[in-house]
Amino acid sequence: MATRLSTRRFLRPLVYASAAAAAGGGILYFSNRPRNIPGSDPGTVPPPRYGEGGQLAPPRFPLAKTREEQITDLKKSSGAQNVEPSVKGLIANLARDDTGEKQGKDEAEPYDLLVIGGGATGSGIALDAVTRGLKVAVVDRDDFASGTSSKSTKLVHGGVRYLEKAVWELDYNQYKLVKEALRERKYFLDTAPHLSSWLPIMIPVQKWWQAPYFWAGTKFYDFLAGSEGIESSYFLTKTRAMDAFPMLRKDNLFGALVYYDGAHNDSRMNISLAMTAALYGATVVNHIEVTGLEKDANGKLCGARLKDRIAEKNGKSTSEFSIKAKGIINATGPFTDAIRKMDEPSVQEIVAPSSGVHVILPGFYSPSKMGLIDPSTSDGRVIFFLPWQGNTIAGTTDAPANIVQNPIAGEEEINWILSEIRGYLAPDINVRRGDVLAAWSGIRPLVRDPKSKNTESLVRNHLITTSNSGLLTIAGGKWTTYRQMAEETVDEALKLYNLQPRALVQVPRISGTEMIDDSAPLDGSCQTHQVRLIGAHGFSKTLFINLVQHFGIETHVATHLAESYGDRAWTVAALSAPTEKRFPVRGVKISALYPFIDGEIRYSVRHEYAQTAIDVIARRTRLAFLNAQAALEALPQVIDLMAQELQWDPKRQEREWTDAVQFLASMGLAR
């Protein structure tokens, strides 16, 4: 009996210790388990090889319709019979596998959906709808991502500050927003690995008691991400924090927490959405203005009147034309109420615009692979301090604003951001106003629910509402959740307009090869969480090496091309002019300070519908956002190259200069 008791006393601690070790090991394995990092796998499309005679044959990718053809398709939807295809359009059709008779029949029919607004949400809706077999058109008065979608903080995130509010205020809607965004974050990085990446973000800890508070918050953030997470958050001692972020002020630093979120190139992501939708068969046209909405005898919307703004810029007489659509979706962000009033002049406004100012500083202000969040600024707002495209982005503010096309960042907001930066950077770092390379203001379209009794309450997530005439409006939300917003909007449109989704039988080979299956089976259901965007199929982390070897492009230029265009970097490099130097062999830079080259301008005009110099310097390349003065200096070369591509006369070239200089003033260019 005594022996048995003695054995139990010995075994019980051993069992407890073994259980604790197993649990601890399980937690450690879960925290450090192997993850599939988007972009880390080899490209599913192998790089091209040299053929006979040493000739390189770059990949042959499918072509989207030209802008002129897209406008022709718009006009055909109203039954117009006097539309003649251009010679360029006929040649381009030979490069595509379209069946003429069937296509002509379909084009003469009304669109299932007309989407007004070519930002992230509008382009996302177009891609969702067209991959469900619907006939869809998306138009924008300006360019894709010309508004808020190009002026974000460049993060793909769930929102740690929203999670904090959800916990302390017991706000289930905030919790839902974070949970949804964390799921969408993973889809985002999977479908466009060349345009997005994981970024560690540091939270400085200044008091010892903050360490367990921030640790619990970041671990809860990891927990909510679940299998959609990538790396677990971790604590850094003061020494290790200073080593990771040497610019930090150390006199009041206890340590730091580091968690992971996503970063991306917002306008290029937007353009990729639009061009992918175009390749799947959507009619996608920028610089087309909706001048009015048309209704049938029952007062229901049945179409819209449009006008081509580019024809006006070229000095040509242009008239409005009508298109027909079974349903119309308003996805115009800050300009939501303008379209709603076009439908119903007395309608109550739902958008409460808020200005978010960002500044760009030189890259030496932050490490190249580590961001920082200041959760406790002087007035309680949050500031992000992030590496982006070789520079450092800091922001943002949050203040009521008026809705204008190109808002200007005020000196008060810029100085507030710089003042907050000084508070957590080392005293020997002189944060100067002269170091601001660019500054811009983006307008957040926060929304009020028109059905809510409390008209002052703002909805931080998105809102879908329908007018009596059938105008479907989607407003609010954020970049990270664009795909979910698009899915919900198309779901609502199917019910509202009694549309029938169809499986796509002839799916275009976006990858340019039959070696792989491009995407998920497009059976009429929403598959955008699996539809890879243009450029994603042949992208890998080592693609830049192939570009250097095949084209003799500088390494940092090749890296930039791979991360901006994915596998389409092959086409961009092939369009780049010889430098007449031993090295680099190809790629004439448009700015000595940045990796943007001439081939990008030709590619953006021929394959991405760039129609103005602003389209190129702001949204195809990001030069205007990185350095307003450098963009001004590059402007003559950009205009010359575009004039060759688009046959601009001297008058149009002068107008482009004037418009671009005016735009750069809204990007922080010194007057």
Side-chain angles (χ1 to χ4, degrees), residues 257-322:
L257 264 298
V258 177
Y259 72 98
Y260 284 79
D261 253 328
H264 75 136
N265 188 336
D266 51 7
S267 71
R268 288 220 53 82
M269 179 73 180
N270 196 155
I271 290 159
S272 294
L273 284 168
M275 297 313 303
T276 305
L279 286 173
Y280 274 105
T283 301
V284 178
V285 193
N286 55 350
H287 299 285
I288 287 279
E289 182 175 7
V290 174
T291 58
L293 301 176
E294 296 183 342
K295 299 180 181 180
D296 60 19
N298 298 318
K300 296 295 183 180
L301 290 174
C302 62
R305 295 186 303 279
L306 310 180
K307 183 167 67 173
D308 183 6
R309 301 183 72 192
I310 294 302
E312 286 184 325
K313 286 178 180 288
N314 287 328
K316 298 178 181 178
S317 60
T318 179
S319 57
E320 296 180 0
F321 62 91
S322 295

Side-chain angles (χ1 to χ4, degrees), residues 164-165 167-168 208-219 257 375:
E164 184 180 32
K165 287 182 180 178
V167 172
W168 286 109
W208 70 264
W209 54 265
Q210 291 178 324
Y213 178 78
F214 290 143
W215 182 88
T218 55
K219 288 301 177 185
L257 264 298

Side-chain angles (χ1 to χ4, degrees), residues 354-435:
S354 171
S355 169
V357 171
H358 296 82
V359 302
I360 287 286
L361 297 165
F364 57 70
Y365 271 91
S366 68
S368 61
K369 298 293 183 182
M370 176 74 76
L372 183 143
I373 179 174
D374 181 3
S376 54
T377 60
S378 59
D379 64 357
R381 287 182 285 186
V382 170
I383 275 193
F384 285 99
F385 196 63
L386 311 167
W388 184 67
Q389 302 282 306
N391 283 354
T392 302
I393 182 172
T396 176
T397 60
D398 188 358
N402 295 320
I403 299 175
V404 293
Q405 182 63 35
N406 293 310
I408 296 176
E411 280 299 315
E412 184 179 348
E413 289 89 349
I414 293 173
N415 289 328
W416 179 82
I417 292 173
L418 296 179
S419 174
E420 295 300 324
I421 291 172
R422 292 186 189 101
Y424 54 79
L425 293 188
D428 59 333
I429 298 177
N430 184 16
V431 181
R432 305 176 302 177
R433 175 63 177 85
D435 285 341

Side-chain angles (χ1 to χ4, degrees), residues 630-656:
L632 179 68
E633 294 167 1
L635 199 53
Q637 185 180 356
V638 171
I639 292 175
D640 286 346
L641 287 168
M642 294 189 75
Q644 295 170 19
E645 292 290 321
L646 296 168
Q647 289 80 52
W648 287 345
D649 60 23
K651 188 175 181 181
R652 173 66 191 274
Q653 293 179 52
E654 183 63 32
R655 177 167 183 173
E656 286 299 312

Side-chain angles (χ1 to χ4, degrees), residues 204-276:
V205 177
Q206 297 173 335
K207 306 291 184 182
W208 70 264
W209 54 265
Q210 291 178 324
Y213 178 78
F214 290 143
W215 182 88
T218 55
K219 288 301 177 185
F220 190 29
Y221 196 62
D222 295 342
F223 174 76
L224 287 182
S227 60
E228 276 87 28
I230 183 68
E231 290 284 354
S232 296
S233 57
Y234 56 90
F235 177 77
L236 291 177
T237 62
K238 178 177 179 178
T239 303
R240 292 184 62 196
M242 291 300 303
D243 184 56
F245 209 118
M247 305 82 177
L248 277 180
R249 178 188 291 270
K250 63 180 179 181
D251 56 356
N252 62 347
L253 187 68
F254 175 78
L257 264 298
V258 177
Y259 72 98
Y260 284 79
D261 253 328
H264 75 136
N265 188 336
D266 51 7
S267 71
R268 288 220 53 82
M269 179 73 180
N270 196 155
I271 290 159
S272 294
L273 284 168
M275 297 313 303
T276 305

Side-chain angles (χ1 to χ4, degrees), residues 2 14 19 42 113 174 196 220 249 258 302 392 394 410 450 490 549 609 640:
L14 184 62
L113 293 174
Q174 293 277 9
S196 50
F220 190 29
R249 178 188 291 270
V258 177
C302 62
T392 302
V490 175
Q549 292 174 334
Y609 301 151
D640 286 346

